[in-house]
Amino acid sequence: MSVDATGAATGAARVNPNAPTEETVLAVEHYTDRLFRFRITRPRSFRFRSGEFVMIGLPKEDGRPLLRAYSVASPAWDEELEFYSIKVPDGPLTSRLCHIQPGDKVLLGKKPTGTLVLDALLPGKRLYMFSTGTGFAPFASLVRDPETYERYDEVIVTHTCREVAELTYSRNLVADLVNDPLVGEMVEGKLRLYTSCTREPHDHQGRITDLIESGKLFEDLGVTPLDPATDRGMICGSMEMIQDTKALMIKAGLTEGSNASPAEFVIEKAFAG
């Protein structure tokens, strides 16, 4: 190592302060041949708001990181970090990530961000969280956060998948919340999960957008249709679902919000294209 005229060190590899950290896999659970969740260690310096996303990845063969945006499925207070992922056979990252085991290492970005946060919404009475597939992940974080129940009288989470087995993660998580020492008492009478399937027989059949538009969603839940005076919404899923549900929110008179300008509903632009 040498020192230049200003006293700065030269000749050594520079450390990138924004480089991902290397975290240890603590648990992995596979639900179907397309879906799994995993938990990793959380650095003490890692701070995020429930509902935000962060970059997750693995090193490529050339040593450079291969990173993708993943919603954090665990709440902000959790000492570990949880993620819910799809498996894509030819996906550059998920084709490898789906094989991780406890003890393996994954890369974690340092800058969580996102729009699916409580601060991006105006106060209201009822909060809807509309999700398809792995779009349930940010809501897995928010339904475990006490602030969600402090802000809203009723929280309705919808989760639509192709097959019944793909609903296992959301159903198990919500069912177990009554035993949660932090929010167990808060969810009783406030949290409702509404699931639907598009390709298999189920109690509720069809795309969430069709169920909203026909009014069946509200009829099944025994609530009034969307009202900007009382209702707030969050949307996360496929690009098509996000855009179609957004259009229905606007049609009902709700205005899209953001971190800078809170309003009646929000989408995650990072996943909406």
Side-chain angles (χ1 to χ4, degrees), residues 125-190:
K125 176 184 177 182
R126 182 183 296 117
L127 174 61
Y128 284 95
M129 301 178 186
F130 299 107
S131 70
T132 57
T134 54
F136 176 76
F139 306 146
S141 173
L142 285 158
V143 297
R144 290 186 272 188
D145 192 320
E147 189 177 356
T148 301
Y149 305 100
E150 292 167 358
R151 293 196 183 202
Y152 296 94
D153 296 334
E154 188 173 17
V155 179
I156 297 172
V157 186
T158 77
H159 190 202
T160 300
C161 292
R162 298 184 307 175
E163 302 166 1
V164 174
E166 295 175 344
L167 298 168
T168 303
Y169 178 63
S170 60
R171 291 170 121 181
N172 288 354
L173 190 150
V174 170
D176 289 344
L177 277 182
V178 293
N179 300 314
D180 189 285
L182 194 60
V183 298
E185 292 184 0
M186 303 178 83
V187 302
E188 289 193 66
K190 279 197 171 187

Side-chain angles (χ1 to χ4, degrees), residues 223-270:
V223 298
T224 55
L226 292 168
D227 183 346
T230 55
D231 297 331
R232 302 294 175 258
M234 293 178 162
I235 309 167
C236 193
S238 66
M239 287 189 287
E240 181 184 8
M241 174 269 189
I242 290 175
Q243 295 303 334
D244 289 350
T245 310
K246 172 182 174 178
L248 291 172
M249 297 296 105
I250 294 172
K251 183 179 179 181
L254 281 72
T255 304
E256 184 178 356
S258 66
N259 282 292
S261 181
E264 286 87 42
F265 79 91
V266 287
I267 65 173
E268 186 47 77
K269 289 184 171 62

Side-chain angles (χ1 to χ4, degrees), residues 13-36:
R14 297 193 179 190
V15 177
N16 180 358
N18 297 320
T21 58
E22 191 177 76
E23 302 303 322
T24 303
V25 177
L26 301 173
V28 181
E29 183 174 3
H30 295 266
Y31 297 99
T32 70
D33 59 0
R34 297 181 65 250
L35 298 166
F36 73 108

